[in-house]
Amino acid sequence: MAERLRQPGRAVSGGTAAAYDPPVIQADLLARAQAWLADDPDPADRDELRALLANGDQAELADRFAARLTFGTAGLRGAIGAGPNRMNRAVVRAATAALAGWLHESLAGGTREPRASHAPAAVVVGCDARHRSADFAEEAARVLAGAGLTVHLLPRPCPTPLLAFAVRHLTAAAGVMITASHNPAADNGYKLYLSDGAQVIPPVDAEVEKRIANLGPLAQVPVADAGSPLITRHGDEVAQAYLNAVVLTAAGAQAGRPAAWPDLKVVYTAMHGVAGDLMLRAIAQAGFPQPHVVAAQAEPDPDFPTVAFPNPEEPGALDLALADARRLGAELVLASDPDGDRLAVAVPEPGGLPEPGGVPERGGWRVLTGDQVGALLGASLLARTAGAGARDGAGDGAGDGAEQTRLVATTIVSSTLLAKIAAAAGARYAETLTGFKWISRAGDGVPGTRFIFGYEEALGYEVGTVVRDKDGIGAALAMLWLAASAKAAGRTVLEEYDELETAHGVHLTSALTLRTAEPARIMTRLRAGPPTEFGGQPVCQVIDLASTDAPGQAGDKAETGAARRAVPRADVLIFRLAGARVVLRPSGTEPKTKCYLEIVEPLSGRSLAQARAAAAGRLAPLRSALQAVLADA
C-alpha cells in the first residue's frame, strides 16, 4: 500500500500532542504520481514532486498529471516542472527516445533516401537560453547517441533559424530545438524538424506520439556519456555557413541594390533572446550600417526582466526600443523574439498621428502589423527577382538555371493583399494552413516553381529557402534592403506601403482572441448554426475546412493569377462577406479560439485616406458582431 502522506496544518484531537490528517489525494492520482516519481531521471524534479505529494496539493498534482504534453502547432511546449504535463528531463528523454526509434524504423524501412555511407543517421540539436534549455539539449543529445545516432550539437545558446538551417547543411535526418519561442519565462519546449529542414507534420508527429505512449520505463532508455564519440560539439563553422547563405539570399547582389547603402539609422533589440550576436554579424556582413542596440535587452536572460511578456506583438514589448528610437531620431526599429525566428518592425509616423484604422500611435511611431510587413517584403522580393532565373539570390541556388515560376505563400488567416501583389508580378501564389511547417512546403511537389517568400500574420517571414522555417534574421536583412533602397530613392517605408494599397486596395486586418476552456465546443456550435450575417453584413459563403478541401488561394484564378491548390482538412471556419472575411480556428497550443478579420476596400476614385477611413468604419461593427456571436456560442 502506498505510504499515507500527512497534510500540514490540520490538527486533530486525541493524545497529548497535535496530530495531522492525511492529505486528500485521489488514489489513482497518487498512484500515477508515485509511478512517475520512481521513473523520473532528474533529482530536482523528483524533489519537487515529493514536495507536492507531501503538501497534499491535489489541484496542482491533478493539473500536472491531467495529460501528457503532445505535439501541437509548435511541437511540445509547456511550463517547466515535474510531471507528464510539464517540460522536464523525463519528457525530453521520452520524446527523444521515441524520435530515435522512429528514425531507425523509417531508415530501415526504406522510406528515406539511402545514405552514401554506412555512418549512423545524424540529428542536429540546439537550444535557446531559457531556464533548463542547456540541460534539455544535453539530455536529447545523450539519448540520441545512446540509440546509436550521430549528434551535431550546436553552440549554446543559438537561435532557432540556425538549427533549421543546420539540418540540411549537415545532411541530418532530423533536428531538435529546445525552445518555447516567445512564451512566458516559465515555459520551455521541444521543436522537431525533419530531414527537409522543415517542422514535423502528420503523420510523423502522430507516429512519434505513439512511440512515446508505448515507450515503457525511462530507466531502460540507453543514455550515452556526455563525451560520446557520436556527439560532435560544433564551433562557429555552422553559424558562418548560415550567415554566408542568408546574407546572399536576403541582401545579395540583386537588381536595384545601390552601390553603397545610405546612412540608415536603425534601433535593434534582441528582447533578452539569443538572436543578437548573429543578427549583428549578418547586418555587418551585408554591408549595412550597424544599428543602435537596446542595451537593457541585449544579452540573453531567461527571466525577460524588462518586458511583461517576451512577445514583440504584445503591447509594451517594444517600449524601450521605441524610446531609444525617439531619442536618437531613428528611421527604423527591428525587434527579434527570444529565439530569433520572428521579427517586429516599427517606423516613424508622419506627423506623429496614425492613419484611420492604423495601429494606435505610440509616441510618433507605428508598429507595422505582420500583414503589412509581409506585403512589403513580398513585393520587394518579387521586384528584386523579376526576370531572374533559378539561380538568383532569393532562391536556394539550386536547379539548372532554367527559368522557373516564382512562388510566394501565406496562410488562410493572413491578408489577401499578397495574392494581388503576386498576380501583378506574374508570380504564383499559394495559401496554406497556419504554421511554417505548411508555408515552407508550399512549393513542394509543384514542378517548375521556385519559392521566393512566405509569411504569416504573427510576425513570421521566410525569405528564400536557406531556412525552411521563419527566420527573423533573414527577414531583418530583407527589411533593411527595402528601407535603405527606399531612402536612396527619397522615399519612406510607409510610402512604399501606401503605393501597394493604392494599386491593390486597402486591406485592413484585425485579430480577436477568446480565451475559453472549450474551444472545440464553440466551433461545434458555430457549425451547427452558422451566422448568416455579421453586424448587418450578410455572409456570402461558409467554408468548413473540417469537411471540405478549400482552394489554396484567396479568390478566383482570374483575381489572383494563381493556380488553385487545396489545403488539408482542419478545424477552421471561413465566412466570406462582400469585401470582407472572417476566419475562426482553435489555438493549437493554448485554450483559445482565434479569429481573423479582413476588410478589403478598393479606392474607386477616392483618396487612400478616404478608403482607409471607410475600411476602419466597416471593421468596428464587424468586430463587435463577432464578439457577440462568440459570446453566444
Side-chain angles (χ1 to χ4, degrees), residues 358-441:
V359 176
E361 187 266 338
R362 300 187 185 189
W365 280 75
R366 181 188 298 187
V367 180
L368 300 181
T369 68
D371 282 318
Q372 290 171 330
V373 175
L376 282 164
L377 292 183
S380 174
L381 289 162
L382 285 170
R384 288 162 56 182
T385 57
R391 294 185 180 275
D392 73 75
D396 59 7
D400 57 6
E403 190 76 18
Q404 294 178 301
T405 301
R406 295 168 298 159
L407 172 72
V408 295
T410 188
T411 72
I412 57 174
V413 305
S414 301
S415 171
T416 57
L417 178 55
L418 185 61
K420 294 165 186 171
I421 293 169
R428 187 162 182 168
Y429 167 78
E431 278 183 8
T432 73
L433 295 178
T434 56
F436 272 83
K437 62 185 179 184
W438 304 113
I439 295 171
S440 65
R441 294 181 171 98

Side-chain angles (χ1 to χ4, degrees), residues 95-440:
T96 308
L99 169 63
W102 177 81
L103 284 171
H104 281 305
E105 181 178 312
S106 63
L107 290 166
T111 60
R112 293 173 175 270
E113 292 294 325
R115 298 191 299 281
S117 71
H118 296 290
V123 181
V124 186
V125 177
C127 68
D128 63 13
R130 284 178 175 268
H131 292 293
R132 300 187 67 180
S133 282
D135 291 341
F136 294 162
E138 192 73 20
E139 180 76 17
R142 293 175 62 189
V143 170
L144 290 165
L149 297 167
T150 296
V151 180
H152 295 284
L153 195 58
L154 298 180
R156 297 181 294 215
C158 72
T160 295
L162 180 62
L163 182 285
F165 166 82
V167 171
R168 289 194 300 159
H169 177 69
L170 296 170
T171 321
V176 172
M177 180 68 188
I178 304 298
T179 181
S181 189
H182 55 275
N183 272 38
D187 290 359
N188 214 322
Y190 185 105
K191 204 168 186 179
L192 177 58
Y193 291 81
L194 300 181
S195 61
D196 62 355
Q199 295 177 42
V200 64
I201 54 172
V204 178
D205 51 358
E207 292 169 0
V208 174
E209 286 281 359
K210 184 177 180 181
R211 285 183 170 274
I212 295 173
N214 297 330
L215 189 61
L218 293 180
Q220 296 179 5
V221 173
V223 180
D225 292 336
S228 168
L230 288 174
I231 301 175
T232 299
R233 298 177 186 270
H234 284 273
D236 190 57
E237 68 279 5
V238 177
Q240 188 57 58
Y242 162 78
L243 288 173
N244 294 343
V246 77
V247 168
L248 176 63
T249 296
Q254 294 124 327
R257 174 171 177 156
W261 295 114
D263 185 18
L264 190 70
K265 295 181 181 178
V266 180
V267 169
Y268 168 69
T269 176
M271 199 74 67
H272 299 295
V274 297
D277 176 65
L278 280 185
M279 178 71 82
L280 296 179
R281 289 172 62 185
I283 291 171
Q285 188 166 323
F288 294 111
Q290 281 294 286
H292 166 84
V293 177
V294 178
Q297 298 175 332
E299 296 301 320
D301 189 326
D303 293 318
F304 310 111
T306 67
V307 292
F309 198 75
N311 181 351
E313 291 182 285
E314 291 291 321
L318 299 185
D319 284 356
L320 291 181
L322 294 176
D324 281 2
R326 287 190 292 269
R327 177 174 57 84
L328 297 170
E331 299 158 276
L332 184 69
V333 168
L334 301 175
S336 299
D337 74 338
D339 72 325
D341 62 357
R342 299 173 192 262
L343 181 77
V345 178
V347 293
E349 190 74 67
L353 295 174
E355 293 280 359
V359 176
E361 187 266 338
R362 300 187 185 189
W365 280 75
R366 181 188 298 187
V367 180
L368 300 181
T369 68
D371 282 318
Q372 290 171 330
V373 175
L376 282 164
L377 292 183
S380 174
L381 289 162
L382 285 170
R384 288 162 56 182
T385 57
R391 294 185 180 275
D392 73 75
D396 59 7
D400 57 6
E403 190 76 18
Q404 294 178 301
T405 301
R406 295 168 298 159
L407 172 72
V408 295
T410 188
T411 72
I412 57 174
V413 305
S414 301
S415 171
T416 57
L417 178 55
L418 185 61
K420 294 165 186 171
I421 293 169
R428 187 162 182 168
Y429 167 78
E431 278 183 8
T432 73
L433 295 178
T434 56
F436 272 83
K437 62 185 179 184
W438 304 113
I439 295 171
S440 65

Side-chain angles (χ1 to χ4, degrees), residues 2-8 20-25 30 34 49-56 61:
E3 178 186 356
R4 302 190 73 193
L5 301 163
R6 294 187 176 276
Q7 173 82 38
Y20 295 87
D21 282 341
V24 183
I25 298 179
L30 179 61
Q34 290 182 327
L49 191 53
R50 286 191 188 100
L52 291 173
L53 289 167
N55 291 332
L61 288 166

Side-chain angles (χ1 to χ4, degrees), residues 438-614:
W438 304 113
I439 295 171
S440 65
R441 294 181 171 98
D444 290 5
V446 186
T449 60
R450 178 166 50 96
F451 185 96
I452 296 294
F453 175 71
Y455 91 93
E456 64 181 2
E457 89 299 333
L459 307 187
Y461 316 98
E462 180 180 350
V463 179
T465 57
V466 168
V467 175
R468 298 199 74 196
D469 196 6
K470 53 188 175 290
D471 179 4
I473 296 173
L477 295 180
M479 192 70 213
L480 286 167
W481 200 105
L482 185 156
S485 299
K487 183 175 182 179
R491 296 164 60 82
T492 68
V493 171
L494 287 182
E495 286 172 340
E496 296 290 320
Y497 188 75
D498 288 349
E499 186 174 283
L500 292 177
E501 290 205 321
T502 298
H504 304 295
V506 173
H507 289 67
L508 180 60
T509 57
S510 180
L512 183 66
T513 299
L514 174 68
R515 288 191 174 272
T516 172
E518 299 180 281
R521 178 183 58 83
I522 291 177
M523 300 297 289
T524 299
R525 291 190 178 183
L526 289 174
R527 287 187 172 95
T532 58
E533 55 89 23
F534 288 97
Q537 301 181 54
V539 173
C540 304
Q541 182 185 20
V542 180
I543 300 174
D544 184 355
L545 294 191
S547 57
T548 305
D549 290 336
Q553 48 112 81
D556 294 331
K557 183 175 180 177
E559 176 190 352
T560 66
R564 288 180 177 271
R565 290 191 69 211
V567 298
R569 297 189 179 188
D571 191 5
V572 178
L573 287 170
I574 303 173
F575 298 90
R576 297 198 184 278
L577 300 81
R581 184 197 64 186
V582 176
V583 184
L584 294 92
R585 70 176 182 91
S587 169
T589 56
E590 299 173 278
K592 298 177 179 177
T593 298
K594 294 190 171 184
C595 313
Y596 307 85
L597 300 85
E598 182 180 37
I599 301 290
V600 179
E601 192 73 32
L603 268 63
S604 302
R606 298 170 294 180
S607 69
L608 183 58
Q610 289 172 327
R612 284 175 172 168

